Coordinates of all heavy atoms in Angstrom, one line a residue:
F110 N 56.1 2.8 27.9 CA 56.4 2.5 26.6 C 57.2 1.2 26.7 O 58.3 1.1 27.2 CB 57.4 3.6 26.0 CG 56.6 4.9 25.8 CD1 56.6 5.9 26.9 CD2 55.9 5.2 24.7 CE1 56.0 7.0 26.7 CE2 55.2 6.4 24.5 CZ 55.3 7.3 25.5
N130 N 59.5 4.7 31.3 CA 58.7 5.8 31.6 C 59.1 7.1 30.8 O 60.3 7.2 30.4 CB 58.8 6.1 33.1 CG 58.2 4.9 34.0 OD1 57.1 4.4 33.5 ND2 58.9 4.5 35.1
A131 N 58.2 8.0 30.7 CA 58.5 9.3 30.2 C 58.6 10.4 31.2 O 58.0 10.3 32.2 CB 57.3 9.7 29.2
K132 N 59.5 11.4 30.9 CA 59.7 12.5 31.9 C 59.5 13.7 31.1 O 59.9 13.8 29.9 CB 61.2 12.4 32.5 CG 61.3 11.2 33.5 CD 62.7 11.3 34.1 CE 62.9 12.5 35.0 NZ 64.1 12.5 35.7
S133 N 59.0 14.8 31.8 CA 58.9 16.1 31.2 C 60.2 16.9 31.5 O 60.7 16.8 32.6 CB 57.6 16.8 31.8 OG 56.5 16.1 31.4
S134 N 60.5 17.8 30.7 CA 61.7 18.7 30.8 C 61.4 20.0 30.1 O 60.6 20.0 29.3 CB 63.0 18.0 30.2 OG 62.9 17.8 28.9
M135 N 62.2 21.0 30.5 CA 62.1 22.3 29.9 C 63.2 22.5 28.9 O 64.4 22.2 29.3 CB 62.0 23.4 31.0 CG 60.9 23.2 32.0 SD 59.3 23.2 31.2 CE 59.2 25.0 30.7
T136 N 62.9 23.2 27.8 CA 63.9 23.5 26.8 C 63.8 25.0 26.5 O 62.7 25.6 26.4 CB 63.8 22.6 25.6 OG1 63.8 21.3 25.9 CG2 64.8 23.0 24.5
T144 N 59.9 26.0 26.5 CA 58.9 25.1 26.0 C 59.1 23.8 26.8 O 60.2 23.3 27.2 CB 59.0 24.8 24.5 OG1 57.9 23.9 24.1 CG2 60.3 24.2 24.2
Q145 N 58.0 23.0 27.0 CA 58.1 21.8 27.8 C 57.9 20.6 26.7 O 57.2 20.6 25.8 CB 56.8 21.7 28.8 CG 56.9 20.5 29.6 CD 55.8 20.5 30.8 OE1 54.7 20.9 30.5 NE2 56.2 20.1 31.9
N146 N 58.8 19.6 26.9 CA 58.8 18.4 26.1 C 58.9 17.2 26.9 O 59.2 17.2 28.1 CB 59.8 18.5 25.0 CG 61.2 18.6 25.6 OD1 61.4 18.2 26.7 ND2 62.2 19.2 24.8
T147 N 58.7 16.1 26.2 CA 58.7 14.8 26.9 C 59.7 13.9 26.4 O 60.0 13.8 25.1 CB 57.3 14.1 26.8 OG1 56.3 15.0 27.4 CG2 57.4 12.7 27.6
H148 N 60.5 13.2 27.2 CA 61.5 12.3 26.7 C 61.5 11.0 27.5 O 60.9 11.0 28.7 CB 62.9 12.9 26.8 CG 63.4 13.3 28.2 ND1 63.0 14.4 28.9 CD2 64.2 12.5 29.1 CE1 63.6 14.3 30.2 NE2 64.2 13.2 30.2
L149 N 62.1 9.9 27.0 CA 62.1 8.7 27.7 C 63.2 8.8 28.7 O 64.3 9.4 28.5 CB 62.6 7.6 26.7 CG 61.4 7.3 25.6 CD1 62.0 6.2 24.6 CD2 60.1 6.7 26.3
D150 N 62.9 8.2 29.9 CA 63.8 8.2 31.0 C 64.7 6.9 30.9 O 64.3 5.8 31.2 CB 63.0 8.2 32.3 CG 64.0 8.3 33.6 OD1 65.2 8.3 33.4 OD2 63.5 8.1 34.7

Side-chain angles (χ1 to χ4, degrees):
F110 293 93
N130 293 320
K132 292 182 68 175
S133 295
S134 62
M135 301 300 294
T136 301
T144 184
Q145 189 174 37
N146 56 28
T147 303
H148 66 275
L149 293 175
D150 185 2

